[in-house]
């Protein structure tokens, strides 16, 4: 639900700079009208739903089934990334799941498409971080095989898992949280970005500075650390964290979705403002359906 809410809040502003958002709209605190309507979701949530469905049906990531589900759920109006469009087309044409990602980029995609959908892997496996990493990697590789695309997805999944483990009544100790993430992060570029986030958290910086330092782009490297920063900056407050994420500009739906996933994993669905939940689209695979998917995953985790 955190992914869904952040995606829907950020979607109308995707592609605008931090400055344009600040000057034109101020702080983003309401779901505003958009191409598919206020409160509608994009590729981020559509892919997250596909992944959650596979976890609910199999209890783990089954890559062939995930590939088929991403293709089955695909709605071209939801604003997919160019590389992901090519991969999904290849999968639809029958290219095996472990070959299809080459249809996008020879070396694989470093986009944030695998990270933006990964929250269900993080919450379902938060009690076993080794298993979480394995599941995150296999779920990413169905569409994203570039080391930075995979590492970004693993980092986001780990951050969701760690956020879920934290006591929701306490503030998260940012320095400790980032240190723990760095233990698992193999890529130097991500470690450097986490160090940068740690430095930036020490005092106030405006959204434009954060966007310049940590990024607001469609690559995993320039969006996952920024989302972790937004979660930690206002940890304990879902609304402020996600509003901050959207204010960075650029890839607002995705940084909103990833920040929402982190804040949601830490605080639970009741921390999401009721007016934001009420505004979410509620068609065939809308709000009620995603809530029920969450309940099904919780039951699997309990077992
Ligand atoms: N596609 C969008 N937004 C575009 C506008 C949508 C519009 N508002 C609408 O509604 O129609 N958003 C979605 O795409 C991002 C996720 O992207 P994904 O799935 O990772 O795709 P892709 O194409 O693989 O990667 C994104 C870009 O990253 C660069 N890139 C990736 N790998 C690269 C490589 N190996 N070499 C060079 N460049 C690479 C490319 O520029 C890719 O296009 C999310 O924001 C989601 O919301
Ligand atoms: Mg999107
Ligand atoms: Mg996006």
């Amino acid at each position: 639900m955190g992914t869904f809410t952040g995606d829907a809040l950020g979607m109308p502003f995707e592609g605008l700079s931090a400055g344009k958002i600040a000057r034109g709209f101020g702080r983003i605190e309401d779901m505003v009208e958009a191409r598919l309507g206020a409160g509608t979701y994009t590729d981020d949530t559509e892919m997250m739903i596909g992944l959650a469905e596979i976890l609910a049906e199999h209890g783990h990531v089954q890559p062939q089934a995930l590939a088929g589900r991403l293709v089955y759920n695909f709605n071209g109006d939801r604003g997919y990334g160019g590389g992901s469009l090519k991969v999904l087309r290849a999968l639809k044409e029958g290219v095996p799941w472990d070959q299809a990602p080459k249809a996008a980029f020879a070396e694989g995609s470093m986009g944030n498409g695998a990270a933006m959908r990964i929250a269900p892997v993080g919450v379902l496996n938060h009690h076993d971080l080794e298993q979480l990493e394995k599941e995150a990697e296999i779920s990413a590789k169905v569409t994203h095989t570039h080391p930075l695309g995979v590492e970004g997805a693993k980092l986001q999944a780990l951050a969701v898992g760690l956020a879920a483990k934290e006591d929701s009544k306490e503030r998260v100790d940012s320095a400790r949280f980032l240190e723990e993430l760095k233990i698992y992060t193999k890529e130097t570029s991500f470690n450097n970005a986490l160090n940068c986030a740690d430095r930036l958290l020490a005092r106030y910086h405006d959204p434009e500075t954060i966007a310049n330092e940590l990024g607001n782009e469609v690559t995993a490297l320039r969006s996952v650390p920024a989302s972790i920063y937004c979660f930690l900056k206002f940890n304990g407050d879902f609304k402020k964290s996600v509003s901050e994420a959207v204010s960075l500009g650029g890839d607002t739906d995705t940084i909103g979705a990833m920040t929402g996933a982190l804040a949601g994993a830490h605080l639970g669905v009741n921390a999401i403002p009721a007016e934001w939940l009420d505004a979410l689209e509620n068609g065939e695979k809308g709000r009620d359906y995603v809530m029920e998917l969450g309940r099904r995953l919780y039951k699997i985790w309990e077992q």
Side-chain angles (χ1 to χ4, degrees):
M1 291 305 294
T3 302
F4 187 171
T5 309
D7 181 16
L9 189 81
M11 174 260 291
F13 308 96
E14 196 180 13
L16 299 182
S17 68
K20 267 204 173 135
I21 293 175
R23 286 189 297 276
F25 306 93
R27 203 78 184 161
I28 307 302
E29 294 189 332
D30 298 301
M31 297 278 176
V32 301
E33 212 38 64
R35 194 161 50 86
L36 297 180
T40 54
Y41 62 75
T42 78
D43 56 333
D44 305 49
T45 303
E46 188 157 271
M47 287 184 135
M48 180 278 292
I49 289 172
L51 179 54
E53 287 172 342
I54 293 306
L55 290 171
E57 288 162 26
H58 298 262
H60 62 94
V61 179
Q62 215 290 336
Q64 187 63 50
L66 175 59
R69 192 58 55 90
L70 295 179
V71 171
Y72 179 82
N73 284 351
F74 173 76
N75 173 351
D77 290 334
R78 300 277 190 194
Y80 278 72
S84 284
L85 280 175
K86 289 183 187 158
V87 177
L88 294 180
R89 203 171 300 133
L91 289 168
K92 194 173 180 190
E93 286 164 1
V95 177
W97 72 268
D98 55 352
Q99 298 299 314
K102 291 196 193 107
F105 300 94
E107 70 282 29
S109 173
M110 58 173 95
N112 54 19
M116 71 193 185
R117 67 175 182 242
I118 211 153
V121 169
V123 285
L124 188 62
N125 296 286
H126 73 272
H127 59 284
D128 181 347
L129 298 184
E130 264 180 44
Q131 176 71 2
L132 183 155
E133 276 203 296
K134 283 188 200 143
E135 290 279 288
E137 182 164 341
I138 193 81
S139 83
K141 284 185 170 170
V142 171
T143 51
H144 290 64
T145 49
H146 191 289
L148 293 179
V150 176
E151 192 69 13
K154 285 168 73 175
L155 177 60
Q156 172 68 9
L158 274 164
V160 166
L162 293 182
K165 279 160 74 110
E166 293 282 340
D167 182 346
S168 60
K169 291 176 202 70
E170 300 283 336
R171 272 189 69 84
V172 177
D173 179 333
S174 298
R176 174 180 52 73
F177 191 87
L178 290 167
E179 276 311 311
E180 193 160 358
L181 279 180
K182 280 192 279 173
I183 294 170
Y184 292 92
T185 311
K186 312 282 182 303
E187 291 281 344
T188 314
S189 48
F190 277 100
N191 261 307
N192 291 342
L194 293 176
N195 283 331
C196 179
D198 198 13
R199 280 196 305 278
L200 292 167
L201 281 163
R203 65 179 181 88
Y204 174 81
H205 297 281
D206 63 17
E208 208 156 354
T209 305
I210 301 305
N212 287 336
E213 294 286 330
L214 292 174
N216 64 0
E217 291 129 54
V218 290
T219 59
L221 178 60
R222 297 287 288 167
S223 57
V224 173
S227 304
I228 294 169
Y229 167 90
C230 292
F231 159 59
L232 291 172
K233 179 169 178 184
F234 291 109
N235 85 61
D237 190 326
F238 185 94
K239 186 172 185 174
K240 283 187 178 163
S241 281
V242 177
S243 179
E244 174 78 3
V246 176
S247 75
L248 299 190
D251 197 0
T252 49
D253 64 329
T254 302
I255 300 176
M258 294 193 292
T259 303
L262 293 163
H266 176 215
L267 299 170
V269 72
N270 291 335
I272 303 177
E275 66 275 17
W276 285 3
L277 285 176
D278 288 346
L280 297 178
E281 68 171 284
N282 200 17
E284 195 190 346
K285 290 195 178 181
R287 185 183 59 230
D288 292 349
Y289 181 80
V290 176
M291 283 290 282
E292 185 53 29
L293 266 178
R295 288 189 200 100
R296 285 171 67 193
L297 289 182
Y298 184 79
K299 274 192 192 139
I300 292 177
W301 176 79
E302 248 184 346
Q303 283 159 16

